[in-house]
Amino acid sequence: MDCNGSVDHRFRFSSHTENDSLDNGYNATTGPSETAVPKSRLSGDCGGPAGTGVNGRASVVAKEAAVNKNEKDDKDKVKELADTYAHMLNVVGEDLERPGLLKTPERAAKAMLFFTKGYHEKLEDVLNDAIFEEHHDGMVVVRDIEMFSMCEHHLVPFYGKVSVGYLPRNKIIGLSKVARIVEIFSRRLQVQERLTKQIATALMDVLQPTGVAVVIDATHLCMVMRGVQQTQSRTTTSTMLGEFRKDPKTREEFLRLIKP
């Protein structure tokens, strides 16, 4: 039966002639050949270029449905968040009819979804097979990666720079992916201590290196704009795993390499 549901008579073993062995896959000596039916027919795929058969079309349809669902979900989230921001502005005494605030709730909603987009990103999707076999055992350091996150205690930003080092065990990662891993975990409601460890643990899991080191130096607006109002204060956190924790010389080399 073909892709449209009609019978393909070329694959009916109704006569046992030598010509049939050419046309129908029939072997005059042994009977019908097992290769008479193309593999793609047996698998339920109608063949053709990759992605054009039944399975390929089903995959495309499924992806389109997922995209449409995500777009609808995003619109629903924007509306719900915008209503919340409108209520908040009203509570603090603002006039929602003021020209400068007419679209503020929607803008703020979209901004918040961007600030927290890391909740919906998966490590495997971001890496996108950018892990390579390489017999390099020297330290790899990516320093001064810009980071922006949101303090989970006051919902105000903290920002700074992240430096990451690792000791490969026959595998390396695309350098830009190190920055993407930082972004996945920073685009969430966070505390700096947990963020530091999450980045280090993620690299340890995906690369299985002999060690990982992460240092974050950041300014927290919850300390600058409110409370103690320390405008020059900075916070530094570190996580050392594997050889970076066990070997003082390895740790010292990393710390020396990331100095300004």
Side-chain angles (χ1 to χ4, degrees):
M1 183 171 290
D2 66 15
C3 296
N4 297 317
S6 59
V7 176
D8 190 339
H9 294 283
R10 290 176 301 166
F11 297 97
R12 293 180 61 188
F13 304 113
S14 56
S15 61
H16 299 167
T17 66
E18 289 187 4
N19 289 336
D20 287 330
S21 67
L22 298 176
D23 297 336
N24 298 335
Y26 182 90
N27 186 302
T29 303
T30 61
S33 168
E34 291 182 358
T35 59
V37 181
K39 185 177 180 181
S40 62
R41 300 289 175 93
L42 292 173
S43 65
D45 192 344
C46 291
T52 61
V54 171
N55 293 341
R57 287 198 298 273
S59 176
V60 170
V61 170
K63 287 180 180 178
E64 289 177 349
V67 168
N68 291 337
K69 183 180 183 302
N70 288 339
E71 289 177 351
K72 181 181 183 303
D73 289 346
D74 286 346
K75 288 180 180 179
D76 292 342
K77 289 175 184 176
V78 168
K79 183 181 184 308
E80 189 171 352
L81 275 172
D83 290 344
T84 301
Y85 277 114
H87 176 69
M88 182 184 71
L89 289 170
N90 188 56
V91 169
V92 299
E94 264 294 354
D95 177 11
L96 291 173
E97 300 302 316
R98 190 159 62 82
L101 292 180
L102 290 177
K103 294 186 177 180
T104 295
E106 182 179 349
R107 292 191 193 103
K110 291 178 179 178
M112 180 56 76
L113 288 177
F114 179 78
F115 297 154
T116 58
K117 69 188 181 77
Y119 287 121
H120 309 290
E121 294 180 326
K122 296 180 180 179
L123 203 56
E124 56 268 27
D125 294 338
V126 167
L127 293 178
N128 195 27
D129 298 325
I131 296 177
F132 310 100
E133 295 289 335
E134 187 67 44
H135 298 291
H136 174 79
D137 58 1
M139 191 180 299
V140 178
V141 177
V142 184
R143 52 173 284 185
D144 297 336
I145 301 168
E146 292 185 337
M147 175 276 301
F148 301 90
S149 192
M150 294 283 285
C151 167
E152 68 180 32
H153 300 144
H154 302 99
L155 298 186
V156 293
F158 67 93
Y159 63 94
K161 293 185 177 180
V162 183
S163 293
V164 177
Y166 70 94
L167 291 167
R169 197 199 307 264
N170 299 324
K171 287 193 295 186
I172 60 173
I173 187 172
L175 297 178
S176 67
K177 302 305 180 183
V178 178
R180 293 288 288 122
I181 290 173
V182 170
E183 186 178 35
I184 285 177
F185 292 106
S186 62
R187 292 297 185 184
R188 304 177 182 189
L189 302 184
Q190 278 287 12
V191 294
Q192 185 174 326
E193 297 87 342
R194 182 172 65 238
L195 173 60
T196 310
K197 189 168 185 177
Q198 286 177 332
I199 295 168
T201 302
L203 273 169
M204 203 73 177
D205 289 344
V206 300
L207 283 180
Q208 298 296 309
T210 58
V212 172
V214 177
V215 172
I216 299 180
D217 184 64
T219 296
H220 291 249
L221 292 188
C222 58
M223 287 185 65
V224 173
M225 297 174 64
R226 56 164 298 283
V228 292
Q229 299 181 55
Q230 294 294 309
T231 59
Q232 301 302 313
S233 174
R234 300 186 67 83
T235 301
T236 302
T237 51
S238 70
T239 294
M240 305 286 169
L241 303 177
E243 289 300 313
F244 288 95
R245 176 176 285 273
K246 292 187 291 185
D247 185 1
K249 289 184 179 179
T250 300
R251 184 164 61 250
E252 288 169 9
E253 179 184 354
F254 170 71
L255 294 174
R256 184 172 65 253
L257 288 172
I258 66 172
K259 279 185 178 179

